[in-house]
């Protein structure tokens, strides 16, 4: 074979190898993120090694106080979120579109997110819905309590150390040697304190199971509209549901509303249900949670017990006759009274003559029309403001205003 032939053969061979190489690199039509094996070449083993070297997340010093928390870094948060995603995909979670995710986050948490921003995570402070700071400490229910919106993976999760959600001894057995050496940290008084290994944490396996169930239930309900997780959430994740309804004003799920409403009905301060129905948003504007009022009406209709509604009338009196809720303006108070009366007074008018348990004389507007002496807001102004706002679009308000003007010192006109 001459030199030219050898050159041609070499070039031809290189072209074939190049072509095969390009075919191997051709992207798969499958979503590679959805693999469920934890034991792969990702950020997870790197972060797991770091966390095993540092020991368990909660440690007690010699004075019986918890050691100063070590903040986690972004890489740890990313590894935690990646593990959460794998858990979700392995349990049937369906990834939603960017627009669907944006809408869900706004509906549930009242946050407007920019998927394209350089910040992959947003922190949701469970204590203060208006706080926009970013926290890098794990939850302790005292100083820190919150979760993270993962814009890249389109999910929501608390921060977990990997051993709290991952069976690391099974998935990464080669890292087990790390937990054979003692871990020592200095306490606040500069005394050496031995930090427990993750393998020695009591009930870690059981807690890991609960954490995984919580991750699955929250995300399947919030983003996949899977109603089968509602019972688990109201049974095993009550604090989170309370936060959603009370702090963030999420009133779209009747079962969640019912759970919270029953607590107020059974409380000695039943009037505080008004604090569940009305709130200030992050712009200091009045926010009205119609879903709570509807769920309260549904609760009453199931029980046929007017006492379930007493909190509405009591809260109306607090608004008009005390200074307890002076964080609301006069016009805001009038609008709140309108919503209360649209529900309570309408049901009173409809049922009080044929159902035991109603106040024998008064409803909200009837009592106020008969005697407004204890309020700075007088009846003519209240009525005029409601009319000027076209009754706020409430279907029963015009009717119950007219009904209220038939009350006298004896009580209702019928």
């Amino acid at each position: 074979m001459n030199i030219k032939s050898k050159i041609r053969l070499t070039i031809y061979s290189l072209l074939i190898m190049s072509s095969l190489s390009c075919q191997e690199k051709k992207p798969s039509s499958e979503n590679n993120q959805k693999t469920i094996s934890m034991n792969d070449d990702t950020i997870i083993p790197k972060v797991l090694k770091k966390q095993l070297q540092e020991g368990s997340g909660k440690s007690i010093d010699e004075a019986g106080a918890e050691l100063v928390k070590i903040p986690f870094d972004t890489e740890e948060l990313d590894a935690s979120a990646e593990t959460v995603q794998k858990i979700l995909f392995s349990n049937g979670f369906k990834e939603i579109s960017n627009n669907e995710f944006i809408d869900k986050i706004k509906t549930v948490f009242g946050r407007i997110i920019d998927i394209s921003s350089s910040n992959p995570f947003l922190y949701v402070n469970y204590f203060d819905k208006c706080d926009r700071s970013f926290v890098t400490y794990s939850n302790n229910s005292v100083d820190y309590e919150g979760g993270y919106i993962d814009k890249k993976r389109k999910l929501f999760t608390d921060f977990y150390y990997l051993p709290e959600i991952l069976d690391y001894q099974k998935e990464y057995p080669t890292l087990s040697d790390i937990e054979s050496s003692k871990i020592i940290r200095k306490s606040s008084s500069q005394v050496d304190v031995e930090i427990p290994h993750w393998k020695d944490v009591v009930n870690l396996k059981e807690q890991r199971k609960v954490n995984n169930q919580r991750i699955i239930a929250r995300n399947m309900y919030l983003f996949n509209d899977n109603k089968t997780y509602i019972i688990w959430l109201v049974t095993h994740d009550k604090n989170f549901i309370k936060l959603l309804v009370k702090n963030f004003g999420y009133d779209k799920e009747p079962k969640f509303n019912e759970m919270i409403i029953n607590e107020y009905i059974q409380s000695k301060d039943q009037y505080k249900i008004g604090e569940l129905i009305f709130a200030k948003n992050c712009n200091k504007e009045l926010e009205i949670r119609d879903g709570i009022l509807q769920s309260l009406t549904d609760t009453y209709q199931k029980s046929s017990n007017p006492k379930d509604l007493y909190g509405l009338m009591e809260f109306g009196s607090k608004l008009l006759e005390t200074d307890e809720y002076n964080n609301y303006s006069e016009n805001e108070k009038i609008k709140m009274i309108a919503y209360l009366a649209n529900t309570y007074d309408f049901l009173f008018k409809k049922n009080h003559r044929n159902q035991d348990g109603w106040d024998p004389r008064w409803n909200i507007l009837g009592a106020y029309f008969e005697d407004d002496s204890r309020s700075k807001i007088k009846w003519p102004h209240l009525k005029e403001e409601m009319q000027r706002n076209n009754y706020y679009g409430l279907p029963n308000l015009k009717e119950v205003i007219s009904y209220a003007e038939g009350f006298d010192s004896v009580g209702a006109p019928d």
Side-chain angles (χ1 to χ4, degrees):
M1 183 181 292
N2 58 32
I3 295 176
K4 288 185 178 180
S5 297
K6 288 183 178 179
I7 292 173
R8 288 194 194 97
L9 181 60
T10 302
I11 293 172
Y12 181 66
S13 299
L14 289 171
L15 287 171
I16 291 174
M17 291 173 66
S18 176
S19 175
L20 289 172
S21 176
C22 289
Q23 288 178 16
E24 289 170 0
K25 292 179 182 177
K26 184 177 179 180
S28 168
S29 60
E30 297 179 358
N31 185 347
N32 292 325
Q33 285 185 320
K34 297 185 179 181
T35 56
I36 63 175
S37 173
M38 300 293 179
N39 196 359
D40 53 12
D41 187 19
T42 66
I43 195 176
I44 294 174
K46 177 183 175 183
V47 168
L48 177 60
K49 182 178 180 181
K50 172 182 184 292
Q51 293 178 350
L52 293 179
Q53 289 171 336
E54 291 177 349
S56 68
K58 294 181 179 179
S59 306
I60 307 300
D61 68 17
E62 80 290 345
E66 190 171 317
L67 288 176
V68 176
K69 280 184 172 290
I70 301 174
F72 55 81
D73 56 39
T74 305
E75 198 171 43
E76 289 180 278
L77 177 57
D78 200 43
S80 180
E82 184 172 332
T83 305
V84 165
Q85 185 187 51
K86 291 174 183 292
I87 292 167
L88 289 172
F89 281 140
S90 68
N91 284 275
F93 182 77
K94 305 299 182 185
E95 186 175 336
I96 61 177
S97 70
N98 286 344
N99 287 338
E100 287 175 312
F101 186 68
I102 290 168
D103 289 342
K104 292 282 189 183
I105 294 299
K106 184 177 180 182
T107 298
V108 177
F109 298 110
R111 297 289 291 270
I112 298 173
I113 62 173
D114 179 4
I115 292 288
S116 63
S117 77
S118 59
N119 299 319
F121 296 98
L122 285 181
Y123 180 71
V124 176
N125 187 331
Y126 295 159
F127 294 145
D128 181 0
K129 66 180 180 180
C130 301
D131 180 30
R132 297 295 184 262
S133 60
F134 194 81
V135 172
T136 55
Y137 290 91
S138 59
N139 291 340
N140 64 5
S141 301
V142 179
D143 305 299
Y144 310 105
E145 194 73 10
Y148 297 86
I149 298 167
D150 185 337
K151 295 187 286 185
K152 178 176 66 174
R153 299 176 180 90
K154 295 189 282 289
L155 55 83
F156 178 79
T157 181
D158 292 355
F159 171 78
Y160 296 99
Y161 293 101
L162 293 183
E164 294 179 307
I165 54 175
L166 170 63
D167 188 353
Y168 68 95
Q169 291 171 311
K170 175 183 176 182
E171 295 289 343
Y172 297 95
T174 57
L175 298 180
S176 60
D177 288 345
I178 295 174
E179 295 194 292
S180 61
S181 303
K182 286 187 177 183
I183 305 169
I184 305 296
R185 272 186 64 197
K186 293 287 187 183
S187 72
S188 55
S189 56
Q190 296 304 302
V191 174
D192 286 345
V193 177
E194 184 175 350
I195 308 300
H197 293 292
W198 281 104
K199 66 181 178 66
D200 298 323
V201 173
V202 178
N203 297 325
L204 178 61
K205 184 177 180 180
E206 290 75 14
Q207 186 57 52
R208 183 187 296 142
K209 179 180 178 181
V210 172
N211 290 340
N212 286 356
Q213 289 175 323
R214 184 181 296 118
I215 287 165
I216 295 163
R218 289 181 184 182
N219 282 276
M220 292 292 277
Y221 171 80
L222 292 176
F223 304 120
N224 281 183
D225 297 318
N226 191 323
K227 304 293 186 181
T228 61
Y229 289 93
I230 290 174
I231 299 301
W232 192 93
L233 287 166
V234 297
T235 305
H236 301 286
D237 206 7
K238 288 183 179 180
N239 288 338
F240 180 69
I241 299 308
K242 288 179 183 179
L243 288 165
L244 286 186
V245 178
K246 295 172 73 172
N247 292 16
F248 294 96
Y250 179 70
D251 62 351
K252 303 296 186 290
E253 179 50 60
K255 289 290 185 184
F256 295 170
N257 297 345
E258 182 182 334
M259 183 188 85
I260 310 297
I261 285 169
N262 285 334
E263 292 186 3
Y264 282 96
I265 288 174
Q266 296 163 17
S267 168
K268 65 177 182 179
D269 294 325
Q270 195 174 342
Y271 75 92
K272 288 191 175 181
I273 196 168
E275 298 173 7
L276 186 64
I277 299 166
F278 306 106
K280 292 279 188 152
N281 63 23
C282 295
N283 294 321
K284 307 300 182 184
E285 300 165 335
L286 174 63
E287 179 181 277
I288 300 173
R289 298 157 181 177
D290 300 274
I292 302 296
L293 277 169
Q294 182 57 56
S295 292
L296 180 59
T297 300
D298 294 342
T299 299
Y300 153 70
Q301 289 175 337
K302 288 177 185 175
S303 70
S304 299
N305 186 357
K307 292 181 180 179
D308 292 348
L309 304 171
Y310 277 9
L312 300 183
M313 191 165 177
E314 291 177 30
F315 185 73
S317 297
K318 295 281 186 180
L319 276 179
L320 293 172
E321 298 174 3
T322 74
D323 296 329
E324 186 168 346
Y325 294 101
N326 277 356
N327 56 315
Y328 294 101
S329 70
E330 183 176 286
N331 285 345
E332 286 175 334
K333 287 184 177 182
I334 293 173
K335 187 174 184 179
M336 293 158 77
I337 291 293
Y339 273 78
L340 295 171
N342 182 72
T343 298
Y344 183 90
D345 289 8
F346 178 74
L347 293 172
F348 175 94
K349 180 177 183 291
K350 184 179 178 181
N351 298 304
H352 79 107
R353 287 301 182 195
N354 51 34
Q355 190 177 62
D356 293 335
W358 289 95
D359 187 289
R361 296 173 65 190
W362 309 114
N363 66 11
I364 295 171
L365 293 181
Y368 186 59
F369 169 77
E370 170 58 23
D371 182 9
D372 62 7
S373 62
R374 292 186 296 276
S375 174
K376 294 178 182 178
I377 306 172
K378 301 306 177 184
W379 173 262
H381 175 58
L382 178 137
K383 177 182 175 181
E384 180 184 347
E385 181 67 13
M386 290 180 178
Q387 290 173 331
R388 188 177 68 81
N389 284 280
N390 196 28
Y391 303 101
Y392 307 103
L394 297 170
N396 309 318
L397 187 57
K398 184 176 181 180
E399 178 184 344
V400 295
I401 289 174
S402 176
Y403 179 64
E405 292 184 320
F407 278 67
D408 56 23
S409 59
V410 177
D414 52 359

